[in-house]
Amino acid sequence: MTDAALSSAAGSRRASPRGAAVAKVFEGLCFAAATALLAALGGLIVSLVIGGWPALKQFGFGFLTSAEWNPVTDVYGAAGPVVGTLVTSTLALVIALPIAGGVAFFLTELCPAPLRRPIGTAVELLAGIPSIVYGMWGLFVFAPLFSKYVQLPLMMAATPGSLLEKLTVGIPNGSGILSASIILAIMILPFMAATLRELLLTVPPGVRESAYGLGATTAEVVTSVTLPYVRTGAIGAVMLGLGRALGETMAVTFIIGNSHGFPKSMFDSGSTIASTIANEFTEATSPVHASALIALGLVLFVITFAVLGLARLLLRTPGARL
Amino acid sequence: MLKQLGAAFGAALIVAGATMANAAGTISGAGATFPAPVYAKWAEMYKAQSGVSLNYQAIGSGGGIKQINASTVDFGASDKPLKPDDLAAGGLAMFPTVIGGVVPVMNLPGVKPGAIKLTGPQIADIYRGVIKKWNDPLLAKTNPGMTLPALPITVVHRSDGSGTTFLFTTYLTMKAAHWASDVGANDAVSWPTGLGGKGNDGVAAFVKQTPGAIGYVEYAYAKQNGMTYAQLQNKAGKFVSPTAENFAAAAAGAKWASAPGFYLLLLDQAAPNAWPITGATFILVHTKQAKPADGREVLAFFDWAYKNGDAAAGQLDYVPLPPAVKDLIRKSWSKIVGPDGKPIYR
Amino acid sequence: MTASASKVARRKLTNVVFEAFCVVVTVVALVALAAILWSLLSQGVGGLNLDIFTLSTPAPGSRGGLANAIVGSLMMCGLAMAIALVVGVLGGTWLAEYGGRSLYGSVVRFINDVLLSAPSILVGLFVYEILVAPMKGFSGFAGSVALALLAAPVIMRTTEDVLLLQAATLREAGVALGAPLSLVIRSILWRSGTSGILTGALLAFARISGETAPLLFTALNNQFFSLDLRHATANLPVVIFNFALSAYDDWRRLAWAGALLIAAFVLAVTILARIVAKEQRRS
């Protein structure tokens, strides 16, 4: 539509009551769409509470503090998977965020023009690979290499009694908490990098160019001009990544080692909430077991609520919109 | 952009509407993962002969039991038999289809498949973390003259709930009092030690990547991948290898006729060649069929499979049921009735 | 004088370190991509042939392909994206242009962020409870709804972000011409934000195209070819999941070929959408 067409369309509708009606309907539709998602989450949480209630009633607060998860005696405590979820997601975010930022800055500020599109598309492609492929790649390709070139040397280098030794206790076969975190990081990286890049591209060229014109270096343009400009969206991108890390099932399940206790080191096996649900839900025949798994899902939602709430508090600056 | 959204939505609705016209009468089943390959094979052969599509999907035994109770499928499937009380409570009938076995596999450099001999109590002690090294004197007892390496044992188990784990842990519960009191039997248990792999493949991968590791997988999996397995001592005191003949021996010796609702575990059977960790897999259907036509198709399919499916099952490393058991099953179908109270099949 | 010189030197050094860091992490990311792609290609290409597109999923040892799963996945993803685009774009627009600053708006935004993190398996269970169990049957429609629930929050989030980043002058110029806000949104803001919304939609599509967990309890899967979304519907992720961990080589080959197909399809859609967006901006 050209500008002329636009203005004529606008002109013809200016005074017509039909135009006003269309506007009302449109706003109503937008409102309905926003409300639909709210209702979906409400329904989701209600169904989780109903499903998880028997287990929560039976174990009470101990459900959160106990690390005993025993399907034989039907006793369930969520502490192990909760800790595993927090540790792996945090580690994944710590690993992926700088990389995603670096990739996005590289693509917007440094990359030679002919390479921008291919690399950008390649990063998006990484987001399109089914998560089970990440899991299998992690198990069959990454784990043996990780064991040989990272785990074994680190374990050899650790002096008895040192912190490093405590962190590296485990079976050197490539599985465990750290491996799972790295696979998660690789999985959430393209999401964050692609979104960040898209956001940085929305910075008006004039803003950026004037900063360069003032003699700012690339690092300064990024840290004091473009990044602050897209701050809110950038937080959204991080949340996208964190969200996927928290809820990822298949890839983690393959490589985390799946034990329900507290992980004792970076190479120890652990479990996450999502991997526990994925592992056991299909075979859970006892009602308490199934209920405990759904209650785990509820706990994951509570964690998500808490993380998002915290992010909001931290970012409550004038004009911030998160 | 709104127009494009609308067009996309409209197109999708048209596609959806068009598909409404194409309502093919299919029967559906869901449940245990273990028999999925053979059911897929039978369904393919059956469709070629009769034109009826039987769609079976592997969602796990627990899923199979849940889905048949929720009536979202025409039949459920489970590796874990339901007790007669549970069957009665759910208004379900159960019957076995094929037999398979669980095999202990290991990664021991220099040890050939079948060379190492183990007993149930030894495996229980390994999985409890009591036997920690392969050169433990307890293991040397059943392997005289063999030098087992001084490798530490890494225990690998299934992380996902599984009928394979149910058979394995039930076997250990039968053979070792400590296991029964400390761990117990289920399709997922609280493992005293070790790490969990996702599915047979996950267990096999961890075993392959870790020298000194021991795991347990379905027979078809151990065979197709040529993994190092152990001979096991059976109830008759003989060390046997996991083979189709030895699974069949375990099934043949079992007293199906005196098992109400076909609730029967084939573990630790007395037959001289019986492989000790053998199990059947089961089908679940409602005894009162709301849709008798679909129920009849289900029974017709399995009747056909009992008659014509043995060779195909054997090729996929499953063991068919003995003919006498098949006859018992067919007789038991008389209690599966339609809304009119009459048997729906034959 | 020397102080300012050293300051310049420090700024230069910081910048060099920063630029080097960006280059290095990009290389690292690309190496990871190459490694995963290589696994996918080396394992998947061997399984690709014409049968993949013409025959349905086989039993082990039989000749077969993935035609039923490809068609089923296309139908379900298409329907899911249609639902998610309508809900996500309209919802995101409401947040950005109408109610975003109200209390209700912030609640919706918060809820949307939570939904972004909903483990897909729980979304599947939820749809199972509201659609599959009451209707006594697995269906492709239920699968589409589950996928739409995963895709919509991503689209909503990106739509809002993109619209808010549009220069206020654009909006003001439209309104100044006398156009109602709804028209300004549809004719100006959506148009100039197409590229960003598209990125969101593509990320959402990429996410749902490989999702196994939400389909396991909703669409289930189907061994045979069917266009009927009212019954269990075949789809690539569940087929890959079932086949990849099986004992049979031919099933595993199909699983890798299927994974390769999904990745290739996502790539194709990404490129196509980029071209469309570019054309649109030009016209």
Side-chain angles (χ1 to χ4, degrees):
Chain A
M1 210 188 262
T2 63
D3 289 351
L6 176 66
S7 64
S8 79
S12 69
R13 286 191 196 178
R14 186 184 316 174
S16 86
R18 196 172 146 262
V22 168
K24 261 270 166 296
V25 167
F26 181 76
E27 187 178 346
L29 278 177
C30 289
F31 179 75
T35 306
L37 274 188
L38 193 65
L41 187 86
L44 190 51
I45 288 174
V46 167
S47 78
L48 285 180
V49 170
I50 292 173
W53 188 245
L56 291 174
K57 205 170 75 180
Q58 184 170 342
F59 303 112
F61 197 65
F63 185 72
L64 285 178
T65 53
S66 157
E68 186 187 0
W69 184 274
N70 192 334
V72 180
T73 53
D74 254 353
V75 172
Y76 302 98
V82 168
V83 171
T85 303
L86 294 176
V87 170
T88 49
S89 297
T90 312
L91 275 178
L93 202 60
V94 166
I95 299 168
L97 189 57
I99 300 184
V103 171
F105 299 144
F106 175 80
L107 286 174
T108 47
E109 306 290 338
L110 302 170
C111 185
L115 283 179
R116 269 181 201 187
R117 187 160 294 263
I119 295 181
T121 312
V123 170
E124 272 172 15
L125 177 62
L126 206 53
I129 295 174
S131 62
I132 190 168
V133 172
Y134 282 92
M136 294 174 72
W137 179 79
L139 182 60
F140 295 114
V141 182
F142 173 80
L145 293 174
F146 187 72
S147 153
K148 196 170 164 193
Y149 295 108
V150 179
Q151 281 187 319
L152 279 174
L154 274 179
M155 288 165 93
M156 298 290 186
T159 46
S162 66
L163 178 67
L164 185 63
E165 198 213 9
K166 282 209 184 81
L167 284 175
T168 57
V169 174
I171 306 155
N173 66 354
S175 68
I177 294 280
L178 185 61
S179 303
S181 306
I182 293 175
I183 295 293
L184 271 181
I186 298 177
M187 292 190 70
I188 62 178
L189 184 123
F191 272 78
M192 300 203 302
T195 323
L196 271 179
R197 182 188 83 135
E198 201 58 48
L199 286 167
L200 291 174
L201 286 177
T202 61
V203 176
V207 174
R208 192 160 66 224
E209 276 153 23
S210 41
Y212 278 120
L214 287 171
T217 63
T218 316
E220 286 159 354
V221 170
V222 167
T223 51
S224 28
V225 179
T226 54
L227 203 53
Y229 190 90
V230 299
R231 187 186 50 200
T232 328
I235 291 159
V238 172
M239 285 303 157
L240 259 174
L242 182 65
R244 190 159 183 196
L246 283 171
E248 176 53 42
T249 49
M250 291 301 168
V252 175
T253 307
F254 274 90
I255 196 143
I256 196 165
N258 302 298
S259 70
H260 287 306
F262 285 114
K264 291 178 202 65
S265 77
M266 289 197 306
F267 296 158
D268 198 9
S269 45
S271 62
T272 69
I273 292 176
S275 76
T276 304
I277 297 173
N279 267 325
E280 295 180 15
F281 193 83
T282 53
E283 298 281 348
T285 38
S286 118
V288 184
H289 192 186
S291 171
L293 289 168
I294 293 174
L296 261 188
L298 194 60
V299 172
L300 183 54
F301 267 109
V302 174
I303 293 177
T304 317
F305 268 115
V307 169
L308 290 177
L310 195 70
R312 275 184 173 207
L313 274 181
L314 289 176
L315 292 157
R316 186 164 283 178
T317 47
R321 190 196 45 87
L322 187 92
Chain B
M1 183 130 186
L2 187 63
K3 268 184 210 145
Q4 284 151 2
L5 286 185
F9 197 60
L13 282 182
I14 290 166
V15 170
T19 59
M20 289 295 197
N22 172 23
T26 58
I27 42 178
S28 63
T33 315
F34 158 70
V38 67
Y39 293 167
K41 183 73 194 172
W42 286 347
E44 195 174 275
M45 292 160 64
Y46 190 61
K47 171 143 195 189
Q49 275 194 12
S50 68
V52 175
S53 302
L54 177 127
N55 178 33
Y56 179 78
Q57 289 306 322
I59 59 169
S61 300
I65 295 168
K66 254 179 247 159
Q67 298 316 325
I68 188 66
N69 278 325
S71 301
T72 55
V73 287
D74 299 317
F75 67 92
S78 173
D79 292 337
K80 187 173 156 180
L82 289 186
K83 297 213 170 77
D85 292 353
D86 294 333
L87 286 177
L92 297 173
M94 181 175 80
F95 54 89
T97 51
V98 287
I99 292 154
V102 177
V103 179
V105 291
M106 58 254 336
N107 178 346
L108 277 177
V111 175
K112 285 197 186 68
I116 190 168
K117 292 175 178 170
L118 295 175
T119 67
Q122 283 173 345
I123 296 183
D125 281 347
I126 290 174
Y127 269 80
R128 278 170 60 220
V130 175
I131 299 180
K132 290 189 161 71
K133 289 205 162 180
W134 284 105
N135 60 356
D136 193 294
L138 282 169
L139 297 182
K141 255 196 263 172
T142 51
N143 295 285
M146 224 177 131
T147 33
L148 285 165
L151 275 171
I153 300 178
T154 301
V155 168
V156 184
H157 52 79
R158 287 281 290 269
S159 66
D160 43 342
S162 155
T164 312
T165 302
F166 170 74
L167 286 179
F168 186 72
T169 53
T170 309
Y171 171 69
L172 295 184
T173 302
M174 291 164 77
K175 299 304 281 186
H178 277 297
W179 186 271
S181 60
D182 295 355
V183 186
N186 203 342
D187 35 32
V189 300
S190 179
W191 297 95
T193 180
L195 68 161
K198 169 91 176 151
N200 284 298
D201 218 28
V203 170
F206 280 147
V207 169
K208 279 183 196 154
Q209 284 164 20
T210 321
I214 183 168
Y216 60 91
V217 294
E218 286 159 11
Y219 170 61
Y221 204 88
K223 190 181 168 195
Q224 301 274 343
N225 288 277
M227 299 187 75
T228 303
Y229 59 85
Q231 288 193 41
L232 274 183
Q233 188 178 41
N234 64 16
K235 201 169 191 176
K238 202 172 151 190
F239 284 97
V240 288
S241 287
T243 62
E245 294 77 46
N246 294 346
F247 299 151
K255 295 188 180 65
W256 291 99
S258 56
F262 294 104
Y263 179 83
L264 191 60
L265 296 172
L266 301 176
L267 296 163
D268 209 27
Q269 293 290 311
N273 285 324
W275 173 255
I277 323 180
T278 303
T281 184
F282 299 86
I283 295 295
L284 296 163
V285 291
H286 287 291
T287 44
K288 277 217 169 54
Q289 294 280 336
K291 290 183 281 184
D294 288 353
R296 193 175 301 125
E297 289 291 354
V298 172
L299 297 184
F301 171 80
F302 285 105
D303 191 18
W304 173 90
Y306 288 142
K307 275 194 203 107
N308 306 293
D310 286 359
Q315 275 166 16
L316 296 174
D317 304 315
Y318 297 86
V319 177
L321 293 170
V325 180
K326 292 180 182 171
D327 286 339
L328 277 176
I329 294 167
R330 289 194 182 98
K331 269 185 210 132
S332 77
W333 287 347
S334 63
K335 66 177 182 284
I336 301 169
V337 296
D340 54 359
K342 286 188 187 133
I344 55 168
Y345 190 64
R346 215 173 289 162
Chain C
M1 193 65 196
T2 47
S4 108
S6 82
K7 197 177 170 196
V8 168
R10 204 171 61 231
R11 283 178 57 204
K12 282 232 170 78
L13 185 69
T14 313
N15 193 48
V16 167
V17 170
F18 175 80
E19 292 189 357
F21 172 79
C22 290
V23 173
V24 167
V25 295
T26 306
V27 170
V28 167
L30 290 178
V31 166
L33 168 75
I36 292 172
L37 272 187
W38 172 247
S39 302
L40 202 53
L41 282 172
S42 60
Q43 307 254 15
V45 167
L48 284 182
N49 52 43
L50 199 61
D51 284 356
I52 295 272
F53 302 99
T54 55
L55 298 176
S56 290
T57 41
S62 311
R63 199 172 148 219
L66 296 168
N68 54 340
I70 293 171
V71 171
S73 269
L74 282 178
M75 288 195 300
M76 282 195 289
C77 282
L79 186 58
M81 282 308 288
I83 299 171
L85 272 172
V86 170
V87 174
V89 170
L90 290 180
T93 305
W94 186 79
L95 277 182
E97 304 296 333
Y98 293 105
R101 277 172 207 87
S102 65
L103 178 68
Y104 188 70
S106 55
V107 168
V108 168
R109 187 176 300 115
F110 189 70
I111 292 306
N112 192 56
D113 284 352
V114 174
L115 264 181
L116 281 176
S117 333
S120 49
I121 193 164
L122 292 181
V123 173
L125 290 177
F126 171 59
V127 174
Y128 173 86
E129 293 294 339
I130 59 164
L131 284 179
V132 177
M135 290 168 79
K136 298 229 178 277
F138 296 93
S139 71
F141 284 119
S144 302
V145 171
L147 293 179
L149 264 178
L150 289 171
V154 181
I155 298 174
M156 187 150 143
R157 174 95 218 188
T158 36
T159 302
E160 191 202 355
D161 288 340
V162 164
L163 290 185
L164 283 176
L165 283 168
Q166 309 279 321
T169 44
L170 259 184
R171 202 170 289 127
E172 282 154 15
V175 176
L177 283 170
L181 182 59
S182 71
L183 188 67
V184 174
I185 292 169
R186 279 174 288 156
S187 322
I188 303 176
L189 299 180
W190 277 0
R191 181 159 281 246
S192 61
T194 303
S195 167
I197 294 174
L198 208 57
T199 302
L202 289 174
L203 288 176
F205 177 77
R207 172 164 186 196
I208 64 169
S209 63
E211 275 288 358
T212 312
L215 294 177
L216 210 51
F217 299 107
T218 53
L220 199 61
N221 189 15
N222 195 336
Q223 189 183 348
F224 302 102
F225 189 89
S226 165
L227 291 174
D228 188 350
L229 284 179
R230 287 174 308 163
H231 293 286
T233 303
N235 58 86
L236 280 172
V238 174
V239 167
I240 294 170
F241 179 64
N242 286 339
F243 283 15
L245 299 180
S246 76
Y248 307 99
D249 279 343
D250 47 346
W251 271 14
R252 288 198 220 178
R253 263 199 303 281
L254 280 176
W256 280 103
L260 181 62
L261 278 183
I262 291 182
F265 188 66
V266 169
L267 176 68
V269 170
T270 307
I271 293 172
L272 195 75
R274 290 261 167 262
I275 294 170
V276 170
K278 213 161 135 199
E279 288 295 312
Q280 224 171 30
R281 238 177 293 175
R282 202 175 293 153
S283 72

